[in-house]
Amino acid sequence: MGPSKLLHNHDHDHDHDHGAGTMDRPRAYDVVTGVGMLGRRREAFTRLAALSGVRRGDRVLDVGCGTGYLTRIMAPVAGPEGHVTGVDPSEAMIGHARRRAPANCSYLVGEGQRLDLPDASFDVVVSSLAVHHVPAAERGAAVREMFRVLRPGGRLLVAESRRPTGRLTARLADALGSPAMRHDPRELLGDLIPAAGFRVEEEGELPVLLYYVRGSRAHGDAARRGSGA
C-alpha cells in the first residue's frame, strides 16, 4: 500500500478513473505532497497564485482546497478588502484549514460538482490537484459549476500533476502511489474547460510536476448549470 492510500477514506474510495474518494488525513497529506514536490511546494503554489491573477479586493474560490495551503498564499494578495473561500468534500481537511484560516478566509464542506454558492459571485476561481478526485462522469459538471459561480470577466486557473519524466522522480511518484500522477493531465482535462464555456488563454507546465490551464469567462456569458450541458 503506497502512502497516498493511507490518506483516503476507503469507505468511499474508487479507482482513479472514477475519482479517488475523500482525503481525511490532512497532516499526512501535507507531508506527502511536500515530499512529492521535492520540497518546492511553496514555490510551486506561489507561482500558481500569481498565474491565477488574484488582485487586492478580489473574491476568490478554491475548489478542492484540501488543507487550505493555496488559499493561505492567496489571502494576503486579496488583502482585507478581498475574501478567499475554500470548498472541499472532506470534513477533516476543512477542519484543518479552518484552524489555520487568515481573517479573510472561510471554508465550506462541499463537492465541486454541486457548489452551494451564488451565481457570478467570484472574481477568481482556482482548482489545484483536485479534478482527478472528482468521479469521471461528474468532472464536466464540476467545471461548469466553476463557470457558473465566476462573474463575467472573471479568471480561472486549473492545475493538475503531470507524470515525471526523470527516472528518479518517476520512481518516487510510483513509491508514493499518487493517483494524481497516473494520468496525463491533458487527457484528464480534455475539453472540459472550453466545453463549460471558458475561453482558454494559456496552458503550460511548472516545476515541480505541474500542468496548468488559465481561462476566463467572457463578459455577457450566460451561466451553465452543473446539472446541464
Side-chain angles (χ1 to χ4, degrees):
M1 178 182 290
S4 74
K5 292 286 188 181
L6 300 175
L7 304 177
H8 290 88
N9 179 342
H10 294 286
D11 291 338
H12 304 285
D13 201 13
H14 303 280
D15 64 38
H16 68 281
D17 289 328
H18 295 89
T22 60
M23 287 188 162
D24 295 323
R25 295 168 178 84
R27 292 186 182 182
Y29 174 81
D30 278 341
V31 171
V32 169
T33 303
V35 171
M37 301 191 81
L38 308 178
R40 298 173 66 186
R41 186 186 187 194
R42 178 121 193 137
E43 173 193 343
F45 276 71
T46 298
R47 292 184 69 175
L48 287 179
L51 283 168
S52 77
V54 60
R55 298 188 289 254
R56 194 169 188 84
D58 276 349
R59 298 158 297 165
V60 183
L61 175 65
D62 185 355
V63 179
C65 67
T67 60
Y69 190 84
L70 181 56
T71 64
R72 291 192 296 275
I73 291 174
M74 294 188 294
V77 183
E81 304 94 335
H83 192 84
V84 182
T85 302
V87 175
D88 197 275
S90 169
E91 292 184 6
M93 292 291 204
I94 290 298
H96 184 91
R98 284 173 176 162
R99 288 190 292 273
R100 291 155 179 78
N104 64 339
C105 284
S106 60
Y107 299 94
L108 304 171
V109 176
E111 297 180 316
Q113 60 270 40
R114 284 174 282 274
L115 294 173
D116 187 18
L117 294 164
D119 293 357
S121 51
F122 294 94
D123 302 294
V124 178
V125 174
V126 300
S127 183
S128 62
L129 311 181
V131 173
H132 69 276
H133 287 294
V134 178
E138 299 187 4
R139 286 171 188 158
V143 180
R144 289 193 296 273
E145 281 287 87
M146 296 179 201
F147 184 90
R148 179 182 67 80
V149 301
L150 187 66
R151 68 165 176 79
R155 303 172 298 284
L156 173 78
L157 178 73
V158 177
E160 279 289 335
S161 294
R162 55 185 172 85
R163 180 75 182 168
T165 55
R167 180 177 299 179
L168 181 60
T169 50
R171 283 184 177 179
L172 177 60
D174 290 339
L176 292 173
S178 172
M181 292 184 179
R182 294 177 190 158
H183 56 253
D184 180 334
R186 293 170 178 82
E187 292 179 4
L188 173 77
L189 296 174
D191 65 352
L192 292 175
I193 292 173
F198 290 104
R199 179 175 56 204
V200 174
E201 297 183 345
E202 181 185 29
E203 54 186 290
E205 297 182 352
L206 286 177
V208 177
L209 305 177
L210 290 176
Y211 167 79
Y212 70 89
V213 178
R214 283 198 312 117
S216 62
R217 176 177 169 178
H219 290 280
D221 278 346
R224 303 187 183 194
R225 295 284 176 178
S227 59

